[in-house]
Amino acid sequence: MAHLGQPRSMTPTLRASLCLLGLVFSLGDGRQHRTRSVSKEEAVETYTKYYNYVELTGRLLSLAHSYPHIANLSSIGQSVEGRELWVMRITKDPSVDTPGTPKFKYVGNMHGDETVSRQVLVYLVEYLLTKYGEDPRISELVNTTDIYIMPSMNPDGFEKSKEGDCSGDNGGRNNAKNMDLNRSFPDQYDGTTVDSRDIPEVMAVMRWIQEKKFVLSGNLHGGTVVASYPFDDSASHERQGLYSQSEDDGLFRYLALVYSHNHPLMKTGQPNCPEAMDETFKDGITNGAQWYDVPGGMQDYNYLYGNCLEITMELSCCKYPFATELQKEWDLNRESLLAYMEKVHIGVHGFVKETVSGTALANVSILVAGIHHNLSTGQYGDYHRLLLPGTYNITAVSSGYTSVTVNNVQVTDGKASEVNFTLVPVVNEHAGSINTPSSSIPPNISTSIGNTSDSTKSLVEPPEGHVDIPPSSTPEQKPMQPEEFRHHNYADMELFLRKFSSEYPSITYLYSIGRSVEDRELYVMVISDNPRVHEHGEPEFKYVGNMHGNEVVGRELLLNLIEYLCRNYGTDNEVTHLVNNTRIHIMPSMNPDGYEVASEGDVKGYKGRNNSHNFDLNRNFPDQFTTIKEPRQPETIAVMNWLKSIPFVLSANLHGGSLVVNYPFDDDRDRITHYSQSPDDKVFQQLSKSYSEANPLMHSGHPCVDLYPTAYFQDGITNGANWYNVAGGMQDWNYLNTNCFEVTIELGCVKYPPAKDLPKYWEQNRRPLLQFVHQVHSGVKGTVSDIRDGTGIPNATIKVDGIDHNITTALTGDYWRLLVPGTYYITAFAHGYKPVMTYATVSRHGVELVDFRLTRVHSDPNSQSLSGPQPKLDPSEEEFHSLIKNLSLGQGLDQLVKSTSTENSFRFRRYKDLSAFLRGLNLNFPKITALHSLGQSVEIRTIWALEISNNPGEAEPSEPKIRFVAGIHGNAPVGTELLLEFAAFLCINYGKNPAITRLINETQIVIVPSINPDGREQATEKQCTSTQGLTNVHGKDLDTDFFGNASQRVVEPQPETRAMMDLILDKSYTLSVTLDGGSLVATYPYDKPVQSVENEGTLKYLATVYAKNHPKMHLGDTGCSNNGQIGNIPDGVMRAAERQSHMGSMKDFSMDFGHCPEITVYTGCCLFPPAEQLATLWAENKKPLLSMLVEVHKGVRGVVRDKSGKPIVGAIIVLNGGVRVFTAEGGFFHALLAPGNHNIEAVADGYQQQRQEVVVSSNEAASFIIIEFDMDNSIFGLPREFVVASAAASMTALVVTACIIWCVCAAKSNRQKDGFHRLRQHRDDYDDEIRLTSMGSKKSLLAHEFQDESESDEETLYANKI
């Protein structure tokens, strides 16, 4: 059992009390707790006192110690104040799970001041343990049941309560956060409304329920005497008197009667409680909602989400009676408690196994015909379905297997009937393949680029309802049709959706993707066997209706379809197959505002067509050929975000005004009416015909003879642009920006027909609507995985040869690619892996299964690998790597955002308030913060930097360091407020949220909220375009003042600039994120005009990470009409110079001189918006800011050292032959890189250069590598031995040469001595001649050097004399 929610640490007083008991136990979850010896006298129960927490703990530990063969005590979590939520497990062998043994639980003291249950359950524990082996009834119960008893779910509340308080006046009902635990579970009508951090007790119990798959449960309360059963609330939340019936209403009544009829007082139905003397309950039971409405109750959660049936037992009129009453209460409830437990063995039970290997199948849905409430098998394939005596048809359903139904199962009054299921896989086995093809498919011959055995294929044939053959139900069991046809306004539609969501919770999930202009929810109903999550291998399908508010037929047909699928699931083969194998999303109305103003009877008008801002939503999406200048509408933005978040495969957009299926493209570059073909034109034609051919009137091609007599569509389909041009349409955006293929279906000639005609429309379109859903199971599908460990590879690309349109894999590596019948060559490739190619033959009957197993790219064989032992991750590092991966995949980051909300009151702060806020953070969180002054502005305001780390102020070169900066332009202070809130958010959640705590512990975070405080003081709120405050008080735009070379700088930098330059030149930063305003885009270096950018792929990727986590930015639609920035910017990212080129930017300085990549995020169009918008801006930027904290841990990191282990500081790490980073203290380095393969060169003076190819993943933390240098044995690039030998030989040659020269010179010297002797005798005669000869010699050298052939008179004289 694991904790959900982060509990507070145990209080010192509580810890000391436990120590006094001499207990030895671990607070780790789910571990057995041991005690020292306890005396026999301590084990005697007196029934005369209540146990406080310490005494309860001691009592339970004593019992567990005394009966270890049948008892095991564990904790499923902790309360707000750190008390353990003890659970005693009692069964034949409590150390293991026995397959087929049903699990039962009792929970007491949920309301802390309702205390009888707490003591009664302790007595029950003792009774079961002491009577085991003596009483045959108890022995059988323990031997055949896995019993879990939690005496107190709210130990904190109990400690506050007072004995004798019958009405709860003294508090203690709620937990220590003052939350009512029985109003805090997710509600079927209201969803989750409580902050999970305030209810650790509830979160722990929810996790417990999900893990254990209990069969039956009882929740014990106090305040009256009655057994209450689901549902506890209703959609309308009427205070009382409204019976809210569940699918198992009769069974719940029976179970409640079992308890009440065995309770002497309860069965009378007249508790005679002093505060409600007139309150009676027939037979001592009541429907919860009929008694009074309880939203967020535990018993409904158990039934709807936990596989478990639970009722609530109220045990006594007085909530906290005096202890003298305890013996009486135990006597009153003992038999009821035992009899109720025994009912866990009624109904039907058995196992579900796979036919080939006999493997147990978990999570198989067990359906009982006529009861629209399913449960699923446990980990051993076992199930227990409680049922009343009768005859039932029971079906086992699992994705990938043929459903099996056992008819006429007899359930008797007594022990459960055993019904086992053996399911046959849909995939046929064939030798020579892992998931082998059927015999109709050629042998698996695959061609890979680098590997020849890394793809597998098979044909998956649906048992019913395959792509082209409409299925039919058996004559005896015709599908149920919708019960009524009428137009539904918004309120009516909302209630309809909530009704079916509550009636069919096991296959439906109702959610909203956003709101319309007039604040109406944009509802979507999911229908699937596992509706809340994407199941690996199961395609996502969607229908969207009522995009034009006055085109209403689609809206009503989709409501009809919801009813049809829900009511026929489990009884109609086609519906059951579709629901079990497809996740179907249905949005009845994309334009609920327009619908409300439209009028019934409108044939071809426009009233209500547009949204409340009078914009046509089907002209409002970014277009490939035309710039859409109209502002993006909230409905459009919501749908775009929706489509980016779910891997939809196929979709239809339902319209009205004609009768035809329209497919992409909807427009073309020339804006003229002619055929505009997409790369998948044949696929779109096939999809369109699947609908039109099932609708005879549409297929005729002459749909609206009276209204449009000349209109003709061959086969009832048309290319959009060939009909008329539509720029900004939704279907083209689907195809070009997601994996989804969408067509537009015009359902009828009249836009808003009278309600009496709606049955006709349903009859015409029921078959086509179902047939179109079947098309999602055509083409090819499969998984792209890592060949080493089978892990799915997200965002891998699937390319079909000859079709210029690729799709990508979902988060777990699964993909779907729609194709027409034929043979194709398909390639899968992903960053860091070798691509694999194979062929696939697509038939008309089902989908071809093609799996790809990719091999990671190996290092260049000619390169020198990084030497030295490469480290293995210790458990803590593995845990952190797992955290980074979880936050990078799926909903990990979204869940973190949702679970870490903080109380905030947004306003714009001036310098004084900003400084006080930062000091306050430092004072309140001194262990994780340090406040530094970087310098001062012109007007002597401090430029603050707040460091957040588990060791603030200390250099930790092994950790990445990230810089968040804002306020370089004083007139754009949004970034400043976002960073202040971000800092508070991190500090407040440290120690409370495990993910935030770990991120802070592993990262050095520096936040500079305002570089230009002087400019901020001058700026004015609600000025979206004003330049007042943009510069510092010297009139200098600080983002043009960062020059690293003295030759580029004319004057000294501004003091604000100098402060930031000193920070940047620290060179220890891994990443920098700067927030600015005036646009909605993320930019990457450079701001200066350069033709090419080194490492541009990485820089653009970092900006894209921020943008894709922003709900609007990634859509690429800025809508900033105030600054001319209109239109579509791909992915919301651009190079900074393309936005506004300039020199001297901080971003460029960080790149060139700080060796740190920096991105600039423009958070909104308005520079200085009203303070009321700050909450929205924070909500938009919270996730992107967190994503940067995650991203800084990716790329590549490591340490450089020599063979002796000495770290090498200042070594150069060259990335892809260009960008350089330097090793810091300790030899550590960290470089961010885009996903893919990268070359790393390590260079240091005196050492051999090393080179390595590394693979970076978008979802994994940076691997730590060790580079160990050898001494460089080369000189001038030549081997040291060769150079030394050559040098020795050269020296020898020089010595010999010198000796020879000396000998020659000595001989010449002897001959010259006689000449000099004669010269001395005739010195006077020769002096003049020698002088002239000398001068002539020099002159002749000059003449020779310059090649001067002319002679002066003086030169001739010299020559003659010589």
Side-chain angles (χ1 to χ4, degrees):
M1 305 175 197
H3 295 291
L4 276 176
Q6 182 69 16
R8 293 182 180 178
S9 59
M10 191 177 293
T11 62
T13 303
L14 184 56
R15 190 180 294 110
S17 300
L18 290 176
C19 290
L20 289 175
L21 285 171
L23 305 176
V24 179
F25 61 90
S26 166
L27 291 180
D29 214 357
R31 299 169 184 166
Q32 186 171 350
H33 295 71
R34 300 178 176 86
T35 68
R36 296 178 182 174
S37 61
V38 182
S39 66
K40 182 71 176 176
E41 287 74 23
E42 291 176 322
V44 176
E45 182 57 66
T46 63
Y47 306 100
T48 58
K49 64 172 293 186
Y50 287 98
Y51 298 138
N52 63 25
Y53 173 74
V54 175
E55 293 166 336
L56 174 68
T57 300
R59 184 69 177 144
L60 294 176
L61 285 165
S62 174
L63 290 169
H65 179 76
S66 300
Y67 300 92
H69 57 299
I70 57 170
N72 184 316
L73 182 65
S74 63
S75 168
I76 66 163
Q78 290 182 325
S79 66
V80 172
E81 294 181 344
R83 294 178 173 90
E84 302 293 332
L85 303 179
W86 296 118
V87 172
M88 184 71 84
R89 183 184 185 189
I90 303 174
T91 190
K92 186 176 181 180
D93 187 351
S95 62
V96 298
D97 281 339
T98 303
T101 302
K103 297 183 185 297
F104 177 95
K105 66 178 168 70
Y106 273 131
V107 176
N109 198 209
M110 186 181 198
H111 290 145
D113 61 347
E114 298 171 12
T115 61
V116 170
S117 62
R118 178 182 174 113
Q119 290 303 125
V120 163
L121 289 182
V122 175
Y123 304 154
L124 178 62
V125 168
E126 182 190 31
Y127 187 82
L128 294 173
L129 297 178
T130 57
K131 295 296 182 181
Y132 181 77
E134 298 178 5
D135 185 330
R137 179 190 186 190
I138 300 302
S139 298
E140 182 182 3
L141 185 60
V142 172
N143 287 338
T144 60
T145 318
D146 201 356
I147 304 166
Y148 294 78
I149 298 176
M150 176 189 284
S152 181
M153 183 178 165
N154 186 3
D156 297 350
F158 176 84
E159 299 298 316
K160 296 179 182 178
S161 305
K162 294 184 179 180
E163 187 173 344
D165 181 6
C166 289
S167 57
D169 296 334
N170 292 293
R173 173 187 177 91
N174 297 346
N175 75 348
K177 287 279 191 177
N178 199 29
M179 303 300 297
D180 188 329
L181 301 183
N182 207 33
R183 305 295 188 278
S184 299
F185 283 79
D187 187 76
Q188 61 176 319
Y189 304 110
D190 300 336
T192 302
T193 59
V194 182
D195 189 334
S196 61
R197 294 171 302 170
D198 293 337
I199 49 170
E201 301 90 347
V202 170
M203 301 306 292
V205 168
M206 286 169 58
R207 178 62 178 271
W208 185 42
I209 290 170
Q210 294 298 323
E211 285 182 349
K212 293 301 178 185
K213 285 188 179 290
F214 292 104
V215 179
L216 183 60
S217 172
N219 180 12
L220 278 54
H221 283 249
T224 187
V225 184
V226 69
S228 166
Y229 56 89
F231 286 128
D232 251 341
D233 67 341
S234 64
S236 61
H237 291 303
E238 290 190 28
R239 181 70 185 88
Q240 59 187 120
L242 178 63
Y243 196 107
S244 185
Q245 181 173 314
S246 72
E247 283 292 324
D248 282 288
D249 186 68
L251 177 59
F252 274 121
R253 288 176 54 83
Y254 169 75
L255 293 170
L257 286 168
V258 168
Y259 198 96
S260 69
H261 282 185
N262 285 283
H263 191 289
L265 175 59
M266 189 181 294
K267 68 181 181 182
T268 67
Q270 297 178 331
N272 296 319
C273 296
E275 296 186 359
M277 292 295 294
D278 297 331
E279 188 174 53
T280 60
F281 303 99
K282 188 177 186 303
D283 297 321
I285 67 172
T286 182
N287 173 263
Q290 188 176 36
W291 184 17
Y292 63 93
D293 196 81
V294 177
M298 184 165 69
Q299 72 176 11
D300 288 5
Y301 177 85
N302 271 272
Y303 180 63
L304 294 171
Y305 306 110
N307 243 37
C308 178
L309 279 72
E310 179 174 281
I311 66 171
T312 302
M313 300 85 160
E314 305 279 346
L315 303 184
S316 62
C317 293
C318 181
K319 293 186 175 183
Y320 197 158
F322 288 105
T324 53
E325 299 291 312
L326 290 175
Q327 178 73 63
K328 182 190 75 173
E329 294 296 343
W330 167 237
D331 292 338
L332 286 171
N333 286 279
R334 180 174 56 251
E335 180 56 32
S336 294
L337 290 166
L338 296 173
Y340 183 75
M341 292 170 68
E342 290 170 330
K343 295 306 171 184
V344 76
H345 294 284
I346 67 171
V348 179
H349 74 105
F351 290 87
V352 181
K353 297 182 179 181
E354 192 258 349
T355 186
V356 178
S357 63
T359 304
L361 294 178
N363 296 315
V364 176
S365 295
I366 303 298
L367 289 63
V368 179
I371 303 177
H372 298 291
H373 179 79
N374 307 331
L375 53 82
S376 58
T377 57
Q379 62 175 321
Y380 303 109
D382 49 345
Y383 75 92
H384 304 265
R385 204 339 173 164
L386 304 186
L387 292 168
L388 295 174
T391 303
Y392 299 91
N393 297 333
I394 303 176
T395 303
V397 178
S398 181
S399 178
Y401 294 86
T402 302
S403 302
V404 173
T405 300
V406 178
N407 295 314
N408 302 317
V409 176
Q410 299 295 320
V411 175
T412 59
D413 187 8
K415 294 295 183 183
S417 303
E418 183 171 355
V419 179
N420 297 318
F421 293 88
T422 302
L423 302 189
V424 179
V426 173
V427 179
N428 297 321
E429 296 296 328
H430 184 280
S433 177
I434 294 175
N435 291 315
T436 56
S438 69
S439 58
S440 63
I441 302 300
N444 181 21
I445 305 172
S446 62
T447 303
S448 69
I449 306 170
N451 196 308
T452 60
S453 62
D454 296 331
S455 66
T456 60
K457 306 175 297 173
S458 60
L459 177 68
V460 179
E461 296 186 12
E464 300 92 11
H466 58 69
V467 178
D468 290 317
I469 303 175
S472 60
S473 302
T474 60
E476 296 81 6
Q477 185 84 43
K478 290 187 177 181
M480 290 185 286
Q481 300 300 324
E483 294 181 347
E484 65 175 324
F485 297 89
R486 68 173 189 275
H487 288 295
H488 294 74
N489 61 24
Y490 175 76
D492 196 5
M493 179 186 74
E494 183 179 41
L495 286 173
F496 177 96
L497 295 172
R498 292 177 66 176
K499 171 188 174 184
F500 276 88
S501 177
S502 66
E503 288 184 359
Y504 300 90
S506 62
I507 61 168
T508 63
Y509 171 49
L510 182 62
Y511 66 99
S512 170
I513 66 166
R515 293 175 180 268
S516 66
V517 173
E518 295 182 1
D519 215 30
R520 293 182 174 93
E521 300 285 356
L522 302 178
Y523 281 117
V524 176
M525 177 77 89
V526 180
I527 302 178
S528 184
D529 61 338
N530 195 0
R532 291 178 177 268
V533 296
H534 169 71
E535 289 187 87
H536 182 90
E538 185 169 284
E540 306 273 352
F541 176 94
K542 65 182 168 72
Y543 273 130
V544 176
N546 199 210
M547 187 182 197
H548 291 145
N550 66 332
E551 298 171 13
V552 304
V553 173
R555 178 183 175 118
E556 299 308 325
L557 286 180
L558 292 182
L559 296 178
N560 296 151
L561 182 62
I562 289 171
E563 182 177 356
Y564 182 86
L565 293 174
C566 289
R567 293 197 185 283
N568 289 290
Y569 179 71
T571 57
D572 179 81
N573 289 335
E574 179 186 19
V575 169
T576 303
H577 173 76
L578 281 177
V579 172
N580 286 342
N581 294 282
T582 322
R583 193 164 178 238
I584 304 168
H585 302 248
I586 298 176
M587 176 188 280
S589 180
M590 183 179 164
N591 185 4
D593 297 351
Y595 178 91
E596 295 301 308
V597 300
S599 301
E600 186 171 352
D602 180 4
V603 176
K604 54 180 182 178
Y606 291 90
K607 183 181 179 182
R609 172 187 178 92
N610 296 348
N611 76 343
S612 288
H613 284 159
N614 199 29
F615 288 107
D616 188 330
L617 298 181
N618 207 34
R619 309 294 189 278
N620 196 236
F621 285 79
D623 190 82
Q624 62 177 325
F625 301 120
T626 304
T627 299
I628 305 300
K629 296 183 179 180
E630 290 79 10
R632 206 74 68 225
Q633 296 302 293
E635 298 91 344
T636 309
I637 291 171
V639 168
M640 290 168 71
N641 281 326
W642 180 42
L643 302 190
K644 290 280 191 177
S645 66
I646 296 173
F648 288 111
V649 179
L650 181 60
S651 171
N653 179 12
L654 307 186
H655 282 247
S658 186
L659 192 63
V660 66
V661 182
N662 166 31
Y663 56 89
F665 286 132
D666 253 339
D667 66 341
D668 73 343
R669 197 179 305 278
D670 301 326
R671 301 300 306 276
I672 61 176
T673 300
H674 65 87
Y675 204 108
S676 182
Q677 181 173 310
S678 74
D680 280 289
D681 190 66
K682 291 181 180 179
V683 175
F684 277 116
Q685 289 190 44
Q686 174 179 285
L687 294 171
S688 301
K689 287 180 181 179
S690 73
Y691 195 98
S692 69
E693 289 175 354
N695 186 324
L697 181 59
M698 181 184 290
H699 191 251
S700 71
H702 294 281
C704 307
V705 177
D706 296 336
L707 293 174
Y708 310 106
T710 61
Y712 173 69
F713 305 103
Q714 185 175 349
D715 295 325
I717 68 173
T718 183
N719 172 264
N722 202 38
W723 184 13
Y724 62 93
N725 261 254
V726 174
M730 182 165 70
Q731 71 176 16
D732 287 7
W733 191 88
N734 269 266
Y735 179 67
L736 294 169
N737 294 276
T738 74
N739 287 342
C740 186
F741 287 53
E742 181 172 279
V743 300
T744 301
I745 303 175
E746 304 281 346
L747 293 166
C749 303
V750 177
K751 293 186 175 182
Y752 200 147
K756 65 181 179 62
D757 292 343
L758 291 177
K760 176 188 69 175
Y761 283 100
W762 170 249
E763 186 58 34
Q764 291 173 351
N765 289 280
R766 178 185 64 85
R767 180 75 252 143
L769 286 168
L770 296 173
Q771 188 63 35
F772 190 73
V773 179
H774 281 297
Q775 304 311 302
V776 78
H777 296 283
S778 63
V780 296
K781 73 171 185 176
T783 301
V784 180
S785 59
D786 190 313
I787 198 170
R788 296 178 308 171
D789 55 12
T791 302
I793 303 173
N795 207 37
T797 301
I798 304 297
K799 177 178 177 59
V800 179
D801 193 33
I803 302 178
D804 187 21
H805 182 78
N806 301 335
I807 57 103
T808 56
T809 56
L811 292 173
T812 58
D814 45 350
Y815 76 91
W816 305 261
R817 210 320 176 172
L818 302 181
L819 292 167
V820 298
T823 299
Y824 301 89
Y825 284 96
I826 304 174
T827 304
F829 52 93
H831 286 302
Y833 293 87
K834 293 180 180 180
V836 171
M837 178 189 291
T838 189
Y839 83 91
T841 298
V842 176
S843 74
R844 298 185 64 86
H845 307 294
V847 59
E848 178 80 357
L849 183 63
V850 182
D851 292 329
F852 293 91
R853 297 171 298 179
L854 303 190
T855 303
R856 284 188 179 271
V857 175
H858 296 298
S859 302
D860 181 353
N862 298 319
S863 69
Q864 267 187 296
S865 63
L866 301 177
S867 61
Q870 299 307 312
K872 293 183 178 179
L873 296 179
D874 62 32
S876 177
E877 289 174 321
E878 286 183 352
E879 181 183 345
F880 183 65
H881 277 237
S882 177
L883 171 65
I884 294 298
K885 188 169 186 176
N886 289 338
L887 293 177
S888 302
L889 290 173
Q891 302 298 310
L893 209 52
D894 290 310
Q895 291 170 357
L896 178 60
V897 170
K898 291 176 182 177
S899 66
T900 51
S901 58
T902 53
E903 294 293 330
N904 40 47
S905 178
F906 288 102
R907 59 190 174 86
F908 285 106
R909 298 172 176 85
R910 291 191 173 273
Y911 171 74
K912 183 177 179 181
D913 291 339
L914 179 147
S915 299
F917 184 85
L918 292 172
R919 289 192 189 98
L921 285 176
N922 185 221
L923 291 171
N924 282 282
F925 304 97
K927 293 183 179 180
I928 60 168
T929 64
L931 189 59
H932 308 283
S933 170
L934 302 181
Q936 292 184 319
S937 66
V938 175
E939 293 185 337
I940 321 299
R941 293 183 174 92
T942 300
I943 299 169
W944 296 109
L946 181 71
E947 181 182 354
I948 303 177
S949 172
N950 62 334
N951 292 306
E954 296 183 16
E956 296 186 271
S958 63
E959 293 182 356
K961 194 171 183 180
I962 186 169
R963 187 172 67 234
F964 292 97
V965 182
I968 196 169
H969 296 130
N971 65 331
V974 169
T976 296
E977 299 307 322
L978 293 180
L979 290 188
L980 292 175
E981 182 60 28
F982 188 49
F985 164 82
L986 293 175
C987 291
I988 291 171
N989 282 285
Y990 184 80
K992 294 181 180 178
N993 181 276
I996 295 296
T997 303
R998 193 64 192 271
L999 285 173
I1000 291 175
N1001 287 343
E1002 301 290 339
T1003 322
Q1004 294 182 81
I1005 306 165
V1006 175
I1007 296 176
V1008 183
S1010 181
I1011 302 176
N1012 185 6
D1014 297 351
R1016 166 64 186 89
E1017 294 299 300
Q1018 297 174 0
T1020 306
E1021 189 175 342
K1022 301 181 183 179
Q1023 297 296 314
C1024 288
T1025 58
S1026 173
T1027 59
Q1028 184 177 346
L1030 181 146
T1031 66
N1032 73 347
V1033 296
H1034 285 162
K1036 183 66 176 178
D1037 182 343
L1038 298 180
D1039 203 37
T1040 63
D1041 195 43
F1042 287 81
F1043 290 97
N1045 295 326
S1047 61
Q1048 295 177 310
R1049 180 174 294 286
V1050 179
V1051 296
E1052 283 297 309
Q1054 299 295 308
E1056 299 92 342
T1057 308
R1058 171 51 61 194
M1060 283 305 299
M1061 289 172 71
D1062 291 342
L1063 181 68
I1064 293 169
L1065 290 173
D1066 179 30
K1067 294 185 181 179
S1068 61
Y1069 287 92
T1070 310
L1071 175 63
S1072 177
V1073 180
T1074 300
L1075 304 185
D1076 208 338
S1079 298
L1080 190 63
V1081 67
T1083 66
Y1084 60 91
Y1086 280 91
D1087 281 301
K1088 60 189 176 185
V1090 292
Q1091 290 186 345
S1092 62
V1093 178
E1094 284 185 341
N1095 211 26
E1096 182 171 10
T1098 293
L1099 299 172
K1100 185 175 182 180
Y1101 169 74
L1102 292 172
T1104 302
V1105 170
Y1106 195 102
K1108 78 175 183 181
N1109 284 289
H1110 191 287
K1112 298 177 181 177
M1113 192 178 294
H1114 74 279
L1115 301 175
D1117 176 52
T1118 64
C1120 294
S1121 56
N1122 58 306
N1123 59 15
Q1125 186 184 335
I1126 302 175
N1128 190 37
I1129 298 173
D1131 299 320
V1133 172
M1134 64 193 308
R1135 193 198 298 182
E1138 295 174 356
R1139 178 183 177 274
Q1140 186 177 3
S1141 175
H1142 64 281
M1143 303 294 290
S1145 75
M1146 182 170 66
K1147 182 191 297 99
D1148 294 359
F1149 184 85
S1150 178
M1151 282 288 295
D1152 292 339
F1153 297 95
H1155 304 291
C1156 171
E1158 179 170 293
I1159 64 169
T1160 301
V1161 176
Y1162 297 85
T1163 59
C1165 299
C1166 185
L1167 290 167
F1168 201 152
E1172 293 78 25
Q1173 296 182 16
L1174 284 175
T1176 299
L1177 289 165
W1178 166 244
E1180 292 173 351
N1181 286 277
K1182 179 181 177 182
K1183 181 182 175 185
L1185 288 169
L1186 282 170
S1187 74
M1188 293 291 98
L1189 275 187
V1190 174
E1191 199 63 35
V1192 77
H1193 287 278
K1194 298 177 185 176
V1196 60
R1197 69 188 185 103
V1199 64
V1200 179
R1201 66 193 187 193
D1202 63 18
K1203 286 292 187 181
S1204 68
K1206 178 183 177 182
I1208 301 174
V1209 179
I1212 302 172
I1213 307 297
V1214 184
L1215 309 174
N1216 300 314
V1219 176
R1220 301 182 176 193
V1221 295
F1222 298 87
T1223 56
E1225 181 184 350
F1228 292 102
F1229 71 91
H1230 192 149
L1232 298 181
L1233 293 166
N1237 305 329
H1238 300 273
N1239 291 314
I1240 291 181
E1241 295 178 66
V1243 182
D1245 289 339
Y1247 297 93
Q1248 287 185 348
Q1249 177 178 329
Q1250 300 210 32
R1251 186 160 65 90
Q1252 173 72 36
E1253 188 175 80
V1254 297
V1255 178
V1256 174
S1257 168
S1258 62
N1259 306 312
E1260 296 177 1
S1263 297
F1264 191 88
I1265 60 176
I1266 296 175
I1267 304 174
E1268 282 190 352
F1269 275 125
D1270 283 327
M1271 294 297 294
D1272 192 350
N1273 290 321
S1274 65
I1275 300 175
F1276 304 121
L1278 300 171
R1280 179 180 296 272
E1281 295 80 1
F1282 175 78
V1283 174
V1284 171
S1286 300
S1290 299
M1291 290 299 295
T1292 303
L1294 286 172
V1295 170
V1296 172
T1297 303
C1299 292
I1300 294 172
I1301 293 172
W1302 181 82
C1303 292
V1304 172
C1305 289
K1308 287 184 178 180
S1309 178
N1310 290 332
R1311 288 195 300 269
Q1312 289 173 353
K1313 284 181 180 179
D1314 180 60
F1316 279 110
H1317 176 71
R1318 289 197 300 269
L1319 281 173
R1320 281 195 297 269
Q1321 289 178 337
H1322 306 281
R1323 180 177 299 171
D1324 293 339
D1325 296 334
Y1326 289 98
D1327 276 346
D1328 291 338
E1329 188 173 353
I1330 292 171
R1331 184 169 58 253
L1332 291 173
T1333 300
S1334 176
M1335 291 177 65
S1337 176
K1338 293 178 181 178
K1339 197 67 176 178
S1340 67
L1341 287 172
L1342 289 172
H1344 175 74
E1345 181 177 353
F1346 290 100
Q1347 302 293 313
D1348 188 357
E1349 297 181 2
S1350 63
E1351 294 183 358
S1352 65
D1353 293 339
E1354 185 178 18
E1355 288 171 336
T1356 303
L1357 173 63
Y1358 292 156
N1360 291 336
K1361 285 191 175 183
I1362 293 172

